[in-house]
Structure formats: structure tokens, C-alpha cells
Amino acid sequence: MRRLPIYFLIDVSESMIGEPIEQVEEGISTIIQTLKSDPNAMETVWVSIIVFAGKTQTLLEYQELISFYPPKFFVGSGTSLSSGLEHLMKAMDKDVRKTTAEQKGDWKPIVFLFTDGTPTDDTAHAIGKWKKTWSNSANMVAVSIGEESNLSLLGEMTDNVLNFKNTDKEAYSEFFKWVTNSIKISSIAIDKNNSDFDLAPTTNDALSKIDLSKLTADINTNSDENHVVLVAKCQKTKQTYLIKYKRAFGMIINKQNDCQYHLVGAYKVNDSYFELSDMSYIGAQVNTSRLMGAPTCPCCGNQHSFAVCSCSKLHCIGVEGLNTCPWCGVEGQYGSSAGGMNIEKAQG
């Protein structure tokens, strides 16, 4: 039986924390469960899920639909697209059956790349390798979740670049229906011995194909400038949490044209965050005057989640006069500052 390999290459960088990662997790589960009710898909589709942040992991090994169990998604620091691409190509080299004199190989793999930001590494070598080894023998669909992705860079890998405006839960539901329908169309086509690849039509303004001829090249940086993510620890539970801010486009607050970042929320993370993070990264800094809002601690409920220790790490504090930094163990009393201060931000 010739298989139709489907790979999901998913950006799980810190900027995906909160609703985006929750909706992707739910959406992937819905896609697979829906495909299980389709006889063409059940006979041909095999799936693998690869996630990338600062590092890359195979979240779900290559397997037939009947064996699929919805995975739990985690985030990490950084957006190493090159690491994700290299990992994907190694997996495809291993998984996909090639045509030989004795047998026909698998159908052309379909790769769905989901990302919400710009790569934080040099992608030139990995993209060059993709073009040379897989661009003609696989079909890639690159989807920008939101409007902050480097679209011109995505266009170097595929002509199928789409922008998904993740406006609300209903938009996410429609988006994943579109992904499901696109896979169904491909499985029906190969059942009729037709190797053509085609996407399902988009049904609303939330999802649109990008005209690559109108794009200009974006500048690559080693951090995501559309978000500010801060790493902190709960003083009581010692659990790590992330504080996420999103850039307020068009709002300038000083002569240096520094933009504001508005609070999105604070979210608990487990040790998988460090497993997916590029720990060699030396963090850039952001001035606290550019950060609008501060949340309560998502782990213990302390009113202040944004205290800075002398070790420069962030943690929460309560009403006690004496507090202990969960990073370095130093005890001290904390007060407020009238001006802004520079603090280290994560890679994003």
C-alpha cells in the first residue's frame, strides 16, 4: 500500500504561549479524529508531528491514523526554523519509501508548517538544502499564524504561503477544517491514481493566500521583536512561568522610536520549556518603561509577579516584608522604582 505522508512542522516558540498553542493542540486533535472517519484517509494517510523552538523534537513519531493519540504541546525559547527544517528532512529521509525497481514508493509528502513569528537563527543553509533535496519531491504549505511572520522567507521554501488571522476561537475552528479538507482532497486524488496536489478553497477572510510577488525581504534578527517574553519563577512553588507582551504597532513612546508592548498574560510552564530552548542564547534587554501592565503570579496568585532580584532574575512576591528569590536564594526587601530599568527578555 502506497502511503500519503503528512508532516506537521509547528512553531512552539514562547510567542505561541496561551491561546495560540491551546488552539493548535485542539485543532491537531480535531484534524486526526475527523480524518479517522474518512475511508480514503484511513487507508493512505500517515502522520508525524515535529515541533521547534530553540531546539526541535519529534512530538509524534510517523504512524498510521489508527494509532494516533493527541499529544500535549509545550513551548520553548527561540524560533530555530533551520533546526526544524533539518529535523524534518532527516525524518522524511527515514520515513518515506522511495520508488525502486521492485515497488512504487509513497506518494509525495505534504508538510504543513505553522509559525507565528520570525526565525531567530540563520536559515540560509537549511532552506538551500530543502530546495535542493525536497522542494520538488514534497509539497509544503507554510501558514503564518497572525501577521508577524517573515512571509518572504516562507516564500523561499514554497509557493503555498497563507496568512491566518487568528482572530478568535471560531476562526481557529474554520482554519483547522480547511487543513482537514485539504488532506482529504489529496487522499481522494491519490485514490483515483492522481498525484496532483491541491488545497481546499478558503472560505473566509481569516485565511488568505499571499501574493509572493508583492513581498519585500524582511530582516532576520536573533530575537522576535513582535513580542517580549519574560521568564520568571514562583517564590512559593518554584515553578517557572512566562510573562508575555505583544507589540502595539504604530504606538511610539520616545525619540528613539521604541514601541510599547501590551500585556497578554502569564502562563505556567514545566521542564519541557528548557528542553526545547536554546540555552546558549544570551538574552537581549528591554526597558520596563516599554511594558504596559503586569499580571498576578499564575502559580500561587501573588499580586506581584514582576519583582527583579539582584541576580537580575524575575519572580513573584507577596505581602511579606522579607522575600526569597527562587533562582539564587537571596533574601531581601523589595520596593518600587519610579523609572524604567533594563531587564533580560527571552528569545521569543
Side-chain angles (χ1 to χ4, degrees):
M1 175 68 71
R2 299 180 72 183
R3 304 172 299 184
L4 174 60
I6 304 292
Y7 289 86
F8 291 98
L9 181 59
I10 300 176
D11 175 359
V12 292
S13 58
E14 292 152 319
S15 54
M16 288 285 286
I17 193 74
E19 184 181 21
I21 201 69
E22 292 169 3
Q23 295 294 346
V24 167
E25 184 176 294
E26 182 179 332
I28 292 293
S29 178
T30 300
I31 287 171
I32 302 301
Q33 296 306 320
T34 303
L35 290 176
K36 283 183 177 182
S37 65
D38 183 273
N40 289 310
M42 279 294 289
E43 285 188 11
T44 58
V45 171
W46 281 55
V47 180
S48 178
I49 298 176
I50 297 170
V51 295
F52 68 96
K55 297 179 180 178
T56 302
Q57 287 184 4
T58 296
L59 195 61
L60 185 75
E61 293 287 350
Y62 188 62
Q63 60 189 261
E64 57 187 335
L65 283 177
I66 195 67
S67 304
F68 178 89
Y69 186 80
K72 181 71 177 176
F73 284 77
F74 304 100
V75 299
S77 181
T79 309
S80 180
L81 179 58
S82 64
S83 171
L85 269 181
E86 293 280 3
H87 192 100
L88 169 69
M89 288 184 281
K90 287 181 181 178
M92 291 167 68
D93 286 335
K94 174 175 63 75
D95 298 337
V96 179
R97 293 174 185 158
K98 306 295 192 299
T99 297
T100 66
E102 291 76 29
Q103 68 173 10
K104 286 189 174 182
D106 291 332
W107 301 100
K108 265 190 176 186
I110 302 174
V111 178
F112 288 94
L113 165 61
F114 301 157
T115 181
D116 79 327
T118 59
T120 54
D121 60 352
D122 186 351
T123 60
H125 176 75
I127 291 178
K129 185 176 178 181
W130 170 263
K131 289 178 179 179
K132 182 178 179 180
T133 60
W134 279 106
S135 62
N136 292 324
S137 51
N139 295 301
M140 177 179 282
V141 183
V143 180
S144 167
I145 300 178
E147 299 181 275
E148 288 86 38
S149 298
N150 188 329
L151 298 177
S152 60
L153 186 143
L154 297 179
E156 292 182 30
M157 295 181 286
T158 176
D159 292 333
N160 295 306
V161 178
L162 294 96
N163 178 226
F164 167 54
K165 299 175 183 177
N166 51 333
T167 52
D168 52 35
K169 189 171 183 178
E170 183 178 347
Y172 270 105
S173 177
E174 290 300 315
F175 167 63
F176 285 109
K177 284 181 183 177
W178 172 83
V179 175
T180 306
N181 289 336
S182 295
I183 296 173
K184 282 184 176 182
I185 287 173
S186 295
S187 65
I188 291 171
I190 64 173
D191 184 60
K192 296 178 180 179
N193 207 30
N194 181 355
S195 61
D196 289 344
F197 169 69
D198 201 5
L199 297 171
T202 56
T203 58
N204 55 51
D205 294 336
L207 184 66
S208 58
K209 189 169 183 179
I210 301 299
D211 184 350
L212 299 176
S213 66
K214 296 181 179 179
L215 295 178
T216 56
D218 294 325
I219 298 174
N220 288 337
T221 65
N222 66 352
S223 65
D224 183 352
E225 298 303 317
N226 296 308
H227 300 87
V228 167
V229 179
L230 308 174
V231 183
K233 274 190 177 182
C234 174
Q235 183 178 176
K236 294 182 179 180
T237 69
K238 307 299 188 291
Q239 185 170 3
T240 305
Y241 59 93
L242 303 179
I243 306 174
K244 177 182 175 181
Y245 293 84
K246 185 173 182 179
R247 183 178 177 182
F249 287 92
M251 297 184 67
I252 306 300
I253 60 173
N254 59 33
K255 293 180 180 178
Q256 284 73 42
N257 291 331
D258 289 334
C259 63
Q260 286 183 327
Y261 292 89
H262 289 183
L263 176 68
V264 177
Y267 309 92
K268 293 184 285 186
V269 294
N270 58 25
D271 289 341
S272 295
Y273 167 76
F274 297 102
E275 293 172 10
L276 280 167
S277 299
D278 178 7
M279 303 310 295
S280 65
Y281 170 72
I282 300 174
Q285 292 191 327
V286 62
N287 194 279
T288 56
S289 64
R290 300 171 63 189
L291 306 178
M292 304 295 109
T296 57
C297 176
C299 304
C300 71
N302 269 343
Q303 185 175 0
H304 303 288
S305 66
F306 203 124
V308 184
C309 175
S310 58
C311 72
S312 77
K313 300 288 189 179
L314 271 65
H315 62 88
C316 70
I317 58 173
V319 295
E320 303 86 355
L322 195 65
N323 289 273
T324 303
C325 173
W327 295 95
C328 67
V330 168
E331 292 185 331
Q333 292 182 325
Y334 289 77
S336 59
S337 173
M341 61 182 296
N342 290 328
I343 57 174
E344 185 176 303
K345 66 174 183 174
Q347 198 170 7

